[in-house]
Amino acid sequence: MGEPLDAYSQVVSAVARELTPRVAALRVPRRGGAGGGSAVVFDAAGLLLTNAHVVGSAREGRAAFSDGTVTSFEVVGADPLSDLAVVRAAGEVPPPAVLGDSDELVVGQLVVAVGNPLGLAGSVTAGVVSALGRSLPVGDGRAVRLVEDVIQTDAALNPGSSGGALADARGRVVGVSTAVAGVGLGLAIPVNGTSRRIVGALLREGRVRRAFLGLVTVPVPVPAGLRERTGRREALRVAEVVAGSPAERAGLRRGDLVLSAGGVPVDRAQGLQRLLFAEAIGRPLPVTVVRNGAMVDVIAEPVELTGV
């Protein structure tokens, strides 16, 4: 009789058993060939969640599961800003995975990634959450878009893992793998209230109308002296201002410490993201920042995000 698994291995193997049948390998037609990625079943009606960059401009494709089931699918909708997409399988699919809440994650927490790197179904890796609240600037040769509030993990990701599940120790999907950030680093789109709102819009309209501000931010602790003045413990440091964006026109600068937007305190990228849906387009958005120790109030006017 073999040696019993240690506690870590027991958790990882249990999550793998739970999720591997629910994560599909996608085959998507591309100009001059085909592309691939992964997707996770999240609804019994045959709906799967994946990355927008996995489906690209395709309207259909094929999904293969670890039990040998293969079915065609149609793309319901995609949102490049969040890098999320929903597809609907034409045939039967396994029971859906349980969606969790990435807002409950903490740095150092165990996570398990399940995907199909290089078309190899049911590949499992494990690691920890190494950072939260990152912003991911992505260029397509014409414009820059910002994927906000991504989860950084050291669980190994490889080509084809995009769109796969990132799960907590209970097997709840808390993220959708999206990119390899470097050696030993992977990024995942959070599964939380904001992403559920995005999925809902994709199901209703096939797209998400988004407001564009043009900030890349990183959550940081508020310095002790400023903490006493503001009562705030965390805020957002501006790492980049997109050239020609509403943020640049409003006078926001790299290095500014964003305390609030729209009168609402913000301490995570998600706080800004929640404000930038259709209702914010063309409306004044007051932003309070700290610059060189002084409070600065600016008014930005987000525009509709187009061309992504």
Side-chain angles (χ1 to χ4, degrees):
M1 185 173 180
E3 290 292 325
L5 295 176
D6 58 36
Y8 177 89
S9 299
Q10 288 176 4
V11 170
V12 175
S13 61
V15 173
R17 286 194 302 272
E18 175 71 17
L19 284 183
T20 297
R22 295 163 170 78
V23 176
L26 299 189
R27 195 70 173 165
V28 181
R30 294 271 195 269
R31 183 179 300 175
S38 304
V40 57
V41 181
F42 73 95
D43 187 278
L47 298 174
L48 292 84
L49 187 61
T50 185
N51 290 144
H53 80 261
V54 168
V55 299
S57 60
R59 301 311 307 162
E60 59 185 16
R62 297 184 71 82
F65 292 89
S66 60
D67 65 358
T69 299
V70 178
T71 179
S72 60
F73 68 80
E74 64 172 349
V75 178
V76 175
D79 178 41
L81 183 62
S82 65
D83 200 20
L84 290 175
V86 175
V87 304
R88 178 181 286 109
E92 292 189 5
V93 299
V98 176
L99 299 185
D101 186 353
S102 63
D103 290 350
E104 298 176 358
L105 291 176
V106 297
V107 172
Q109 182 173 341
L110 170 67
V111 285
V112 180
V114 181
N116 302 284
L118 307 176
L120 302 175
S123 180
V124 178
T125 59
V128 299
V129 174
S130 52
L132 293 165
R134 299 299 197 205
S135 294
L136 175 64
V138 178
D140 64 0
R142 297 170 298 170
V144 174
R145 62 181 174 82
L146 309 174
V147 179
E148 297 281 9
D149 205 31
V150 298
I151 303 163
Q152 180 180 301
T153 173
D154 65 359
L157 300 178
N158 295 291
S161 293
S162 291
L166 186 73
D168 62 15
R170 295 172 58 184
R172 300 173 300 183
V173 178
V174 292
V176 178
S177 301
T178 188
V180 179
V183 177
L185 291 179
L187 301 174
I189 306 303
V191 171
N192 53 24
T194 300
S195 56
R196 284 178 169 84
R197 183 176 179 182
I198 291 166
V199 168
L202 293 177
L203 291 173
R204 290 191 304 272
E205 303 178 29
R207 63 186 288 258
V208 181
R209 291 188 68 213
R210 306 294 293 266
F212 174 65
L213 185 58
L215 291 179
V216 179
T217 61
V218 179
V220 295
V222 173
L226 184 60
R227 189 181 306 165
E228 294 177 1
R229 289 168 50 196
T230 63
R232 301 285 306 283
R233 299 186 63 84
E234 292 185 319
L236 296 177
R237 180 75 66 189
V238 176
E240 182 182 346
V241 180
V242 176
S245 68
E248 184 184 60
R249 291 194 293 271
L252 291 166
R253 304 176 187 172
R254 182 176 181 179
D256 284 350
L257 189 67
V258 182
L259 297 179
S260 67
V264 179
V266 291
D267 54 14
R268 299 182 64 183
Q270 182 187 346
L272 275 177
Q273 188 180 15
R274 285 173 173 165
L275 300 174
L276 298 176
F277 284 92
E279 57 270 21
I281 297 170
R283 295 187 178 182
L285 179 71
V287 181
T288 299
V289 304
V290 176
R291 182 183 301 158
N292 299 324
M295 294 278 195
V296 177
D297 293 315
V298 303
I299 302 294
E301 190 170 296
V303 297
E304 183 165 5
L305 183 72
T306 60
V308 296

